[in-house]
Amino acid sequence: MRLLVLAVLLSAVVSCPSEAKRMNIYGEILVTNITPESGAMWTRVNHKAPMYPIELAKARMVGCTILSFDVAESGKAENIQTDISIPNTKISQHAKSIVSQWQWQTDQTPTVKESHTVRLDFCLGLESLEKTQQACAKQVQLSCE
């Protein structure tokens, strides 16, 4: 009897085509320099927007984080600290990874570390990349606290 029930259920599952649709998710990360506001000795080499972390996209996690760090004489970020992370530390962990990969350059002879503070906004959308970018531009205007 159990085998008969199992066979009927299995045939029903196999014979009904799946209605599942593939869903597109559009991710955007906006970077805002907070400090120094101007006159920085170090500038980021590549201003290309970072890739949205797959783990965060799968979890549909959005939010913002503010990080403070020093740019060392080597042109690498050091002492990366989370000032604020909304909604949780997962976003902060990914933001730290992004910042640690950045390369920095200067036209001056570096003599001391330079402190920087940046805000990273993680935004997702389901309609289009353009709509996601528009929503992210609005999110940047909100407080990250």
Side-chain angles (χ1 to χ4, degrees), residues 4-132:
L4 180 61
V5 171
L6 182 59
V8 170
L9 287 174
L10 184 58
S11 68
V13 169
V14 171
S15 65
C16 296
S18 174
E19 293 296 322
K21 293 182 181 179
R22 186 173 191 180
M23 183 182 296
N24 290 328
I25 298 177
Y26 302 92
E28 177 79 5
I29 301 175
L30 288 183
V31 178
T32 306
N33 294 319
I34 297 174
T35 63
E37 291 179 17
S38 62
M41 177 173 48
W42 290 95
T43 57
R44 199 161 39 112
V45 173
N46 185 354
H47 289 277
K48 183 179 170 188
M51 294 292 294
Y52 206 95
I54 292 173
E55 179 186 356
L56 296 183
K58 284 181 179 178
R60 297 201 184 165
M61 190 172 296
V62 298
C64 63
T65 189
I66 296 177
L67 302 176
S68 297
F69 56 93
D70 297 320
V71 178
E73 293 176 17
S74 64
K76 289 280 198 179
E78 295 181 340
N79 307 318
I80 303 170
Q81 300 294 318
T82 302
D83 296 341
I84 298 169
S85 186
I86 306 295
N88 61 32
T89 58
K90 280 212 182 283
I91 286 180
S92 171
Q93 292 166 350
H94 287 283
K96 284 181 176 181
S97 175
I98 289 167
V99 169
S100 71
Q101 295 173 31
W102 287 345
Q103 292 290 317
W104 296 80
Q105 65 185 10
T106 183
D107 293 335
Q108 304 171 23
T109 304
T111 56
V112 295
K113 295 178 181 179
E114 183 176 66
S115 296
H116 285 253
T117 304
V118 295
R119 172 178 169 158
L120 284 84
D121 282 275
F122 293 77
C123 310
L124 288 176
L126 300 176
E127 293 181 43
S128 69
L129 181 57
E130 186 177 286
K131 291 222 183 228
T132 302

